Each structure stands twice: as C-alpha cells, then as structure tokens.
Amino acid sequence: MADSNEQEMSFLDHLEELRWHVMRGVASIFIFSIIAFIAKSYVFNVIILGPSRLDFPTYQWLCELSKYMHTDALCIESLPFTIQSRTMTGQFAMHIMSSVVIGLIFAFPYTFWEIWRFVKPGLYDTEQSVTTGATFFVSLLFITGILFSYFIVSPLAINFLSNYQIDESVLNEFDITSYISTLAMIVLSGGVMFQLPMVVYFLSKSDIVTPESMKQYRKHAIVIILIVAAIITPPDPITQLLIAGPILLLYEISIYISASVLRGKQKKAKKELRKL
C-alpha cells in the first residue's frame, strides 16, 4: 500500500509539473498575442496585408530578378483583388485570430523548450546526449519554414489566386476571413512540415526508421506529401508544388540524416566490440 501511494503521489507530482510547464507555455503565447493585439496597425499593415501589396519585398525581388534576366515574366505588376469584411464581427474576429497565430509563432521556441524540459529528464543518459540542441534545431526549422512560407509561398499563392478568373465579369473580392485564414494556414503548415528532418533524426535514433526503408518507400512518401500539400494549401497547383517541393527536398536530406545516424551507431558498436 505504501509503495502504491508513493507511486500515485509520484504520478500526481508529474502531472502537476506538466501542468506548470504547459501553463508557462500558454502564458508566453498569451503575452505575445496581447502584444500583437495592441500593435494592430503594424501587424495588419506590414505583416498580414503585406503580401497583398505590390511593395512587398518578394514582388520587388522578383522584378529585380526579371530585370537582371532581361524578361518581364517574373515581375508581378498587378494584384487585381480587394479585401472586404462582409460580416459585422469579421474584422474583430480576425484581429483576435491573427494575434493568437502571431503569438503562437513567436512563443513557439519557448513553449517547445518548456515541454522539452518536462520530457528530457525521463530519457536515459544516452538518449539525452543525442538530443542535445533539440530545442535549437526544432525552433530553427520551424522559423525557416515560417519565413519560407511567408516570403515565398504566400505571395506567389496570392498572386495566382488574385489573377485567376473563370470569366472577366467575375471580380475577385476576398473576405478578410478567407484571406487571413488562407495566409495563416500556409504559414503554419510550412513551419510544421519543415520539422521532417528532426522527426526522421529521432526515429532513426530509435531504430524505427532506416535510410533503406526511406528509399524503399520514397514513392509512397511522394504521394503522401502531395496529398498533405493539397489538403493544407489553397486549391491551386502552384501553391501545392511550392509547399511539396521543399518537403520532398527535406525528405531526401532526411535520408542522409538517417544514414549518418546509422553510421554513428555502427562506429559505436565497433568500438564496444574492440573493448571486449
């Protein structure tokens, strides 16, 4: 009974500790969301509505590249659409949603660090040694995915969708809810999808994934990546390829990561055999 009570208290202590880690993570998201909510003018004028204007850096870079290549094919000269709010609560609801999304993005490194602090003590010493720098690399990949999706995928997707017309009589007048939801979905999905190398790294360390299995199921992975890209992006092939392309490249990089992990294990095994 004493052992049972001790285990029960230990379990409850773990739950209490997890609760505080989660609460600190949620608090960081809340703080960044409040900051984003207060900085409404900058957040909407510069960040959220930036890709809807021709002075956005990506459009400027494409025009500069177009001049360098002596062609007008890459220069985007018009974004023929307007953004409207068709519901009374539309702008306020999107103000809150945008603030939460921005809070989540900026607080992600700290929130992940808090969760990792809870998980890491439960690992073996060897497992802790191979996961050194996990927070840094996970955060780096997340931020890279966010920036890639925001500066590359989003403006090109907006350009495609704004210029697409089934008939000249049909004008593109997007609702603010649709615009922000699409932008948030593209940006967040990029941050999540860019975690593939870290996922493969940990799975390889756990002997769940090998470079041979990844090569064997490469065709299946391509199909799955294309399906996922189609689900998380707007229904246009350009945006889907812009998301799927880098993920396919990350998949190939992940094969080399898995192979590197395997070589490290083989070297370690050989050293242990020599000691014997």
Side-chain angles (χ1 to χ4, degrees):
M1 290 294 293
D3 292 339
S4 177
N5 291 333
E6 185 176 338
Q7 290 178 357
E8 184 179 354
M9 288 300 294
S10 178
F11 175 72
L12 293 176
D13 289 341
H14 280 300
L15 283 180
E16 180 67 15
E17 184 181 356
L18 175 61
R19 185 173 74 89
W20 280 106
H21 283 294
V22 172
M23 286 181 63
R24 285 192 290 268
V26 172
S28 67
I29 296 173
F30 181 75
I31 291 171
F32 279 106
S33 298
I34 292 295
I35 294 173
F37 188 86
I38 295 173
K40 177 180 68 174
S41 298
Y42 180 84
V43 167
F44 276 88
N45 187 49
V46 177
I47 299 176
I48 295 177
L49 296 177
S52 69
R53 301 190 179 102
L54 290 175
D55 60 354
F56 191 66
T58 303
Y59 302 134
Q60 299 295 317
W61 297 336
L62 287 174
C63 284
E64 291 296 327
L65 181 61
S66 186
K67 291 178 182 178
Y68 179 78
M69 298 178 64
H70 304 289
T71 177
D72 294 331
L74 298 177
C75 189
I76 298 172
E77 298 179 346
S78 66
L79 295 170
F81 73 97
T82 58
I83 300 176
Q84 300 180 355
S85 180
R86 294 184 175 89
T87 59
M88 187 171 292
T89 59
Q91 294 194 55
F92 181 69
M94 285 302 100
H95 187 191
I96 295 176
M97 174 189 168
S98 302
S99 300
V100 172
V101 171
I102 291 175
L104 177 63
I105 291 173
F106 279 91
F108 177 83
Y110 176 78
T111 302
F112 180 83
W113 179 69
E114 281 288 349
I115 301 301
W116 184 247
R117 284 176 61 200
F118 174 78
V119 174
K120 191 174 181 179
L123 302 177
Y124 293 108
D125 293 338
T126 54
E127 292 174 333
Q128 290 186 19
S129 63
V130 300
T131 56
T132 302
T135 301
F136 171 77
F137 287 108
V138 167
S139 300
L140 178 64
L141 288 170
F142 180 78
I143 294 170
T144 302
I146 292 291
L147 293 176
F148 175 81
S149 298
Y150 178 73
F151 284 103
I152 304 299
V153 180
S154 296
L156 295 181
I158 290 172
N159 171 63
F160 175 83
L161 295 173
S162 65
N163 282 280
Y164 188 85
Q165 284 183 297
I166 55 176
D167 188 83
E168 293 183 357
S169 63
V170 182
L171 301 178
N172 284 327
E173 297 177 347
F174 304 140
D175 189 82
I176 184 67
T177 303
S178 175
Y179 174 84
I180 294 180
S181 298
T182 301
L183 182 64
M185 181 175 60
I186 292 174
V187 172
L188 288 177
S189 63
V192 172
M193 297 286 278
F194 268 60
Q195 298 301 316
L196 180 61
M198 287 300 297
V199 173
V200 170
Y201 175 80
F202 286 115
L203 292 179
S204 298
K205 284 290 186 181
S206 304
D207 295 322
I208 298 174
V209 168
T210 63
E212 289 75 19
S213 64
M214 293 188 68
K215 291 177 182 177
Q216 181 182 354
Y217 292 102
R218 181 187 277 117
K219 293 181 180 179
H220 301 80
I222 292 174
V223 173
I224 293 173
I225 290 171
L226 290 174
I227 292 174
V228 172
I231 293 173
I232 64 177
T233 58
D236 72 273
I238 303 298
T239 308
Q240 292 168 10
L241 289 175
L242 285 171
I243 281 288
I247 303 305
L248 291 173
L249 178 61
L250 288 173
Y251 185 86
E252 295 298 324
I253 293 173
S254 297
I255 294 177
Y256 288 99
I257 292 175
S258 181
S260 177
V261 171
L262 182 61
R263 286 194 298 270
K265 286 184 176 181
Q266 291 172 345
K267 289 180 180 179
K268 185 177 179 180
K270 288 180 180 179
K271 288 181 180 179
E272 291 178 352
L273 287 173
R274 289 173 183 172
K275 291 178 180 179
L276 296 175

